[in-house]
Amino acid sequence: VSALVAALRAIVGAEHAQPPARRYLTDATQAEGRVGSAEAVVLPADAAEVAAVVGWCYANDVAITPRGGGSGFSGGAVPDGGIALLLERLTRVRSFDPLLWRIEVEAGLPTASLHRLARENGLHFPPDPGAAEQSQIGGNIATNAGGPHAFKYGVTGHWVTGLEAVLAPGEIFRVGGPVRKDVAGYDLRGLLVGSEGTLGIVTAAWLRLVPRPEAAFPLVAFYPDTQAGCDAIETVLGSGVQAAAIEYLDARALAIAGRAYPGGIPAGARFMLLAEVDGERREAERARAALDEALHEGALAVAEADPDRVWRWRDGVSIAVTAHRGGKISDDIAVPLDRLAEAIEGVAAIGARHGVEAASWGHAGDGNIHASFLCDPAGDEAGRARAAAAELFPLAVELGGTISAEHGIGTAKRPHLALQYPEATLRLMRAVKAVFDPKGLLNPGKKV
Ligand SMILES: Cc1cc2nc3c(=O)[nH]c(=O)nc-3n(C[C@H](O)[C@H](O)[C@H](O)COP(=O)(O)OP(=O)(O)OC[C@H]3O[C@@H](n4cnc5c(N)ncnc54)[C@H](O)[C@@H]3O)c2cc1C
C-alpha cells in the first residue's frame, strides 16, 4: 500500500483505510458521467479519529472530501484526489430525551433511521429528502436538505440546535447544543449548515423533534394546464390553510410517471398537485375540507389519496422519469411563488429549443423546481440536454430565484454561482472559506 494509506491505517486500523472502490467516487450525478478519483477511502470510528485523520491530512497537504450517503445531486461528495472521508461508522445516538423532544446523533446515522427512531417514540423529525434510506443526517446538514414537507416544517437547518464538527487543522469544535434559542456571537451553526463539507466535517448534531402529527391527509388535484395549477396553489395559500406539503408534476412528468399512479387521472390533465394537511385529527379534518375547496378552483378533478401509496409513488417519480430515456440531466432551482408558472413553462420552452424532452416536478409550495432534460446518456442527445440544463440558471436568476434550492452547488453548479451573486458577495464567501480552511484542503473545488 502507499505511504498515505499506511499512515492513515495507523490512525483508523488496517481495514478502515483502503484504496478506493468505485462506488465511493460518485454520487447521484453518476448518471451524468461524474466519477472522481482518490488515493484512499478512510472510515474513522468516531469524532476523535476524524480529528486525527484531518490533522494528518492538514499537516501533509492532502485534500479531504467528506462523504455521507453519496445521494447528493451536485457532485459534492465526488473526490478530486486526496482522500474520501466516510462518516458511515459514526451512527451512535449519543442522547435521546423523547419527553423534551430532542436528540443528539452522530453524523453518519441514516436519515430513515432517525425517522424510525422518532416515530417509535411518538415523535417526528420532519425534513424528508427523497433518498432517506441512503442519505445521512450529516449529509442532510451539509446540504441543508429539504423535501416535500419543508413547506410547512422548514429545511434541515431549522431543526439543528447544535453541531459538533472537526475543523482545520484537526480540532473538534462545538457550537450550540440542546438549547432551543441562541444568539450569542455570530451564527457559526448556520454557517456550517449547508456548507457542503467545505468549512468542516460534521461529526454530530443536536436536533429538535416535534410530536408526531396524529393524522395526515393527502389530496391530489388535476388541472388542464400549468397556469390553472399554479393559480390553485395561490388560492390554497390565500385561503389561510396551512398545507404540510404542496408538490407538483408538469405535463411531461405526469405523462411518464402517471402510468404507475395508484388512482385515476382524468382525461386532459396536464398538471398535477399533491397536497397534504396534517396535525391533530379533528384539526386536520377541518384543514382537509378547506384544502379540498381551495384546490377545486380550476381543477378537472380533486381526490383523496392513500398516504402510503401516494407518497411511495411520489418517491418513484425521479426514477420513472430517468428510466424513460435511460438518463437525464437535472437541476434544482427555486423562484418566488408568483413566478412559478413562468418558470415551469420556461423549462418546457428550453427543452423545445434544444430538441430534448423536458419534464419538471418538485416542491411547488416552496417554488422549488426539479427540472430534467431526458436523454440517452450514450447518444448525442446528452450534449443537448446538458446545454439545455445550463439555461436553467439564467432563467432562475431572471425570475428573482436561486440556482440551487436544496441540492447544493458542489462542482455541478459552481461555474454558475456568479450569475446569482455580485463579485463582492463571492469575495466575502471566499474570505469565509479561507478563515475556516486556510490551506484549501476541505472539499476543494466545491461550492465557492
Ligand atoms: C432519489 C433522490 C431523491 C432526493 N430528494 C431530495 C429532496 O427531496 N430534497 C433534498 O434536499 N435532496 C434530495 N436528494 C438529494 C440528497 O439526498 C440530499 O442532498 C442529501 O442531503 C445528501 O445526503 P448524503 O448523506 O447522501 O450526502 P452526500 O451525497 O454524501 O454528500 C453531499 C455533500 O455533503 C458533504 N457531506 C456529507 N456528509 C458530511 C459531513 N458529515 N460533514 C461535512 N460534509 C458532509 C459532501 O462532501 C457533499 O458535499 C435526493 C436524492 C435522490 C437520489
Side-chain angles (χ1 to χ4, degrees):
V1 297
S2 68
L4 177 142
V5 171
L8 293 169
R9 282 183 173 177
I11 299 170
V12 296
E15 68 274 37
H16 300 305
Q18 297 288 344
R22 190 187 148 94
R23 68 178 183 282
Y24 295 128
L25 302 178
T26 60
D27 65 0
T29 60
Q30 186 173 9
E32 299 174 12
R34 190 173 281 109
V35 182
S37 65
E39 285 184 63
V41 165
V42 185
L43 293 96
D46 53 27
E49 283 193 7
V50 174
V53 169
V54 170
W56 188 89
C57 289
Y58 229 76
N60 291 279
D61 294 324
V62 172
I64 304 154
T65 302
R67 180 183 181 85
S71 71
F73 268 131
S74 67
V78 178
D80 181 13
I83 67 161
L85 193 153
L86 275 59
L87 279 301
E88 66 186 48
R89 291 176 69 212
L90 278 74
T91 57
R92 279 167 287 255
V93 175
R94 290 189 181 167
S95 66
F96 185 18
D97 304 296
L99 297 179
L100 295 175
W101 308 352
R102 68 186 194 200
I103 192 166
E104 185 192 14
V105 299
E106 289 187 338
L109 188 72
T111 313
S113 301
L114 176 63
H115 286 155
R116 278 191 287 272
L117 188 61
R119 190 165 54 235
E120 283 159 14
N121 287 276
L123 294 169
H124 187 42
F125 181 71
D128 57 346
E133 295 288 350
Q134 186 186 346
S135 70
Q136 301 174 358
I137 289 304
N140 297 161
I141 292 169
T143 55
N144 202 4
H149 291 81
F151 178 62
K152 174 175 176 180
Y153 292 101
V155 293
T156 301
H158 188 66
W159 299 87
V160 178
T161 61
L163 282 179
E164 178 189 88
V166 169
L167 304 186
E171 282 158 15
I172 297 179
F173 163 90
R174 291 189 187 87
V175 63
V179 282
R180 293 174 62 95
K181 294 168 97 177
D182 179 6
V183 294
Y186 291 118
D187 183 7
L188 300 180
R189 181 206 58 84
L191 199 52
L192 284 166
V193 170
S195 63
E196 298 182 44
T198 62
L199 302 182
I201 294 154
V202 176
T203 46
W206 282 100
L207 304 170
R208 288 194 302 124
L209 303 164
V210 282
R212 183 155 187 77
E214 193 184 355
F217 300 116
L219 296 177
V220 292
F222 299 92
Y223 301 87
D225 55 45
T226 300
Q227 191 62 54
C230 290
D231 288 348
I233 298 170
E234 291 193 27
T235 306
V236 171
L237 266 71
S239 76
V241 63
Q242 172 67 71
I246 308 179
E247 300 283 295
Y248 86 94
L249 275 78
D250 82 346
R252 199 69 203 111
L254 182 58
I256 297 168
R259 289 176 203 135
Y261 177 67
I265 298 177
R270 294 183 56 77
F271 193 87
M272 175 182 184
L273 290 178
L274 162 57
E276 183 169 87
V277 286
D278 66 4
E280 183 272 323
R281 180 165 295 278
R282 296 226 334 253
E283 205 178 282
E285 280 168 0
R286 265 198 304 277
R288 173 177 58 183
L291 177 65
D292 187 85
E293 189 184 328
L295 288 172
H296 260 97
E297 193 173 298
L300 298 167
V302 180
E304 285 184 32
D306 174 78
D308 289 341
R309 290 176 72 194
V310 80
W311 284 112
R312 207 174 315 121
W313 170 76
R314 169 62 186 86
D315 281 347
V317 167
S318 175
I319 293 166
V321 173
T322 309
H324 186 62
R325 290 203 58 74
K328 62 175 167 60
I329 309 290
S330 306
D331 265 302
D332 120 273
I333 57 172
V335 297
L337 201 51
D338 52 330
R339 311 302 296 271
L340 184 63
E342 279 169 89
I344 294 170
E345 280 163 4
V347 170
I350 291 171
R353 267 204 307 282
H354 288 269
V356 285
E357 270 187 75
S360 80
W361 64 93
H363 314 309
D366 285 327
N368 185 179
I369 296 175
H370 298 323
S372 287
F373 300 97
L374 317 190
C375 59
D376 168 359
D380 65 334
E381 249 178 357
R384 293 206 303 277
R386 218 166 268 122
E391 283 191 29
L392 288 171
F393 308 121
L395 175 72
V397 171
E398 195 186 299
L399 295 174
T402 173
I403 66 167
S404 182
E406 52 177 25
H407 291 166
I409 296 297
T411 44
K413 295 188 189 176
R414 205 174 66 122
H416 306 286
L417 203 54
L419 282 174
Q420 186 168 331
Y421 293 123
E423 178 54 28
T425 307
L426 295 174
R427 213 166 34 236
L428 200 53
M429 290 186 186
R430 287 193 290 263
V432 170
K433 163 77 174 168
V435 168
F436 276 82
D437 180 19
K439 285 187 165 186
L441 294 174
L442 294 176
N443 216 357
K446 313 287 167 58
K447 192 113 176 144
V448 291

